[in-house]
């Protein structure tokens, strides 16, 4: 599972990438436009609390992978060119964070000549819709020709679905906002459609624009009302400087700028949710840990994430929700007294924040 950071040239993609992965990319490799990927810890206050309760030897966070998607270039005409190389790179990611520039800095050029967030957001939407349309037209053509030669049941089911998708795109509706059944989504998966990928819009502001951040987010959110697209703001320059500080230094620094919560922590958590992921927890004196599962996974499947033996030899799961453990002051014994500690079978659907201990043979 991978989140792609996309956006116009100079919008702040590499700045964001370096801030969340806490890495420094060699400026020479940045200017050569090389792709970079990095694994990022998903911030989780629950894990901090469990670490307080159990003082474990080890605390392990869930992780997600980010990639700085490259390949978007300034075209002959002067405006941005969405090359097949770039679109091909985007196909490979599972969800996107689109960085949109709001910072004004005149020393940083804008490929389209001025800072205009709504225009830049629309540019991406249009290009992705066109790419999907082109792809679907080719495929629909091919299927129609094949069906004239031979009556293939799978293709017969696929054709009306692709035609429906084509219809939405013609009305400039991204596919992520349309309703599909599970089976339809399976059929569509092979096409790696760009407008079907979950999207988070991340507005990149200057430190001087803090007062207007909430309004900018509200404006874009209003524009995207009724869609699946999420919107948030970050402060590229400050966030990058902050990522180089220790935890205490970062706190003092945030205080100076009047920031209460790191925008990047929110962005990382939202990205994780965007992928349809959630965490269950394990807690004990050896280790406190967040494990990544997809929404809807059962207790047995979740146990298999810890170890394949746990899947094969699964008997039951001891389950208590994080909130209940906190209410019981961190004592499993007290959660039993309170009746919130349960034994669950194979088919139990694990919830975000469940603390689980697997009983196996
Ligand atoms: N003033 C200001 N400059 C920024 C900010 N974010 C990025 N930049 C600068 O804008 C330029 C382009 O940023 P970069 O992250 O390389 O953009 P990319 O082309 O999207 O990867 C760099 O010189 C950054 O230092 C910001 O929030 N404020
Ligand atoms: Mg870059």
């Amino acid at each position: 599972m991978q989140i792609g950071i996309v956006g116009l040239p100079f919008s702040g993609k590499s700045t964001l990438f370096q801030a969340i992965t806490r890495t420094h990319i060699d400026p020479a490799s940045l200017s050569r436009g090389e792709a970079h990927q990095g694994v990022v810890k998903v911030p989780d206050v629950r894990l901090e609390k469990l670490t307080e309760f159990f003082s474990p030897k080890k605390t392990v966070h869930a992780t997600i992978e980010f990639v700085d998607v490259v390949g978007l270039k300034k075209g002959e005409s002067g405006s941005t060119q969405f090359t097949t190389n770039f679109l091909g790179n985007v196909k490979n990611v599972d969800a996107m964070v689109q960085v949109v520039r709001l910072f004004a800095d005149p020393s940083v050029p804008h490929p389209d000549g001025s800072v205009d967030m709504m225009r830049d957001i629309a540019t991406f939407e249009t290009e992705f819709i066109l790419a999907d349309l082109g792809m679907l037209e080719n495929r629909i053509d091919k299927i129609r020709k094949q069906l004239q030669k031979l009556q293939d049941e799978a293709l017969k089911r696929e054709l009306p679905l692709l035609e429906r998708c084509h219809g939405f795109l013609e009305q400039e509706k991204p596919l992520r906002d349309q309703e599909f059944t599970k089976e339809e989504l399976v059929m569509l998966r092979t096409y790696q459609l760009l407008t079907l990928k979950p999207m988070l819009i991340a507005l990149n502001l200057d430190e001087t624009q803090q007062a207007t951040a909430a309004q900018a987010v509200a404006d874009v959110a209003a524009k995207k009302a009724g869609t699946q697209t999420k919107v948030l703001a970050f402060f590229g320059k400050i966030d990058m400087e902050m990522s180089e500080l220790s935890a205490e230094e970062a706190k003092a620094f945030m205080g100076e700028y009047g920031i209460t919560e790191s925008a990047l922590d929110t962005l990382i958590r939202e990205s994780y949710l965007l992928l349809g992921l959630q965490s269950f927890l394990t807690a004990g004196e050896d280790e406190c840990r967040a494990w990544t599962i997809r929404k809807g996974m059962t207790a047995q499947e979740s146990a298999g994430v810890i170890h394949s033996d746990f899947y094969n030899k699964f008997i039951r799961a001891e389950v208590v929700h994080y909130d209940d453990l906190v209410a019981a002051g961190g004592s499993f014994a007290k959660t039993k007294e309170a009746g919130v500690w349960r034994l669950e079978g194979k088919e139990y659907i694990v919830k975000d924040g469940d603390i689980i201990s697997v009983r196996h043979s």
Side-chain angles (χ1 to χ4, degrees), residues 319-338:
V319 183
V320 60
H321 194 270
Y322 167 82
D323 294 337
D324 293 328
L325 184 71
V326 172
S331 151
F332 281 121
K334 289 218 175 103
T335 62
K336 283 185 195 177
E337 285 165 25

Side-chain angles (χ1 to χ4, degrees), residues 13-15 30 68 70:
K13 298 181 295 296
S14 300
T15 303
L30 267 185
D68 184 359
V70 296

Side-chain angles (χ1 to χ4, degrees), residues 298-312:
T298 64
Q300 187 181 22
E301 288 165 342
S302 303
V305 172
I306 303 177
H307 200 291
S308 55
D309 268 2
F310 285 12
Y311 180 89
N312 296 323

Side-chain angles (χ1 to χ4, degrees), residues 275-291:
L275 289 173
L277 301 177
Q278 62 181 23
S279 302
F280 73 88
L281 306 156
T282 50
E285 268 108 53
D286 261 347
E287 182 182 87
C288 289
R289 181 162 182 167
W291 302 83

Side-chain angles (χ1 to χ4, degrees), residues 98-102 116-122 125 199-205 212-233:
Q98 183 188 347
V99 177
V100 178
R101 171 175 172 179
L102 261 86
D116 180 342
M117 64 172 183
M118 292 300 188
R119 179 201 58 207
D120 293 350
I121 291 169
E125 184 136 299
M199 165 104 85
L200 177 86
I201 292 179
L203 308 177
N204 183 10
L205 293 98
T212 54
Q215 190 56 50
V217 169
D219 289 347
V220 179
K223 185 96 182 161
K224 294 284 172 191
T227 75
Q228 301 291 325
T229 302
K230 293 216 172 149
V231 191
L232 48 78

Side-chain angles (χ1 to χ4, degrees), residues 128-290:
F128 284 167
I129 285 176
L130 288 175
D132 281 355
L133 269 174
M135 204 279 238
L136 285 175
E137 273 159 20
N138 276 335
R139 186 68 197 148
I140 288 170
D141 255 12
K142 263 201 196 120
I143 294 182
R144 282 191 185 138
K145 285 195 185 116
Q146 276 169 317
L147 282 177
Q148 279 168 2
K149 285 187 224 134
L150 122 151
Q151 294 301 304
D152 181 287
E153 288 309 314
L155 291 182
K156 267 197 213 161
R157 276 195 303 275
E158 213 165 300
L159 184 59
L161 172 64
L162 299 189
E163 285 170 338
R164 205 169 100 222
C165 290
H166 189 269
F168 289 132
L169 293 167
E170 271 192 326
Q171 297 168 50
E172 297 175 23
K173 292 180 179 161
L175 297 176
R176 73 176 71 84
D177 299 326
Q178 312 311 321
E179 302 231 352
F180 296 107
T181 65
K182 254 189 172 164
E183 294 77 47
E184 288 173 336
L185 285 173
V186 170
M187 279 195 258
L188 290 178
R189 194 175 299 154
T190 50
Y191 297 113
Q192 299 179 299
L193 292 153
L194 303 180
T195 66
L196 195 55
K197 294 182 193 292
M199 165 104 85
L200 177 86
I201 292 179
L203 308 177
N204 183 10
L205 293 98
D206 251 340
E207 55 271 29
T208 57
Q209 295 170 312
Q210 276 183 54
T212 54
Q215 190 56 50
V217 169
D219 289 347
V220 179
K223 185 96 182 161
K224 294 284 172 191
T227 75
Q228 301 291 325
T229 302
K230 293 216 172 149
V231 191
L232 48 78
F234 73 106
F235 302 91
K237 266 253 166 82
I238 322 181
D239 284 327
M240 188 156 130
E241 285 167 22
M242 225 159 62
S243 71
E244 293 164 9
L245 305 176
S246 70
E248 291 87 57
E249 287 172 324
K251 258 199 191 129
F253 189 89
M254 287 200 288
E256 220 171 280
Y257 280 100
I259 309 169
T260 47
E261 173 187 50
S262 156
L264 296 187
D265 282 359
T266 314
L267 189 147
I268 296 166
R269 270 210 72 77
E270 287 291 340
S271 304
Y272 188 73
L273 298 176
L274 200 63
L275 289 173
L277 301 177
Q278 62 181 23
S279 302
F280 73 88
L281 306 156
T282 50
E285 268 108 53
D286 261 347
E287 182 182 87
C288 289
R289 181 162 182 167

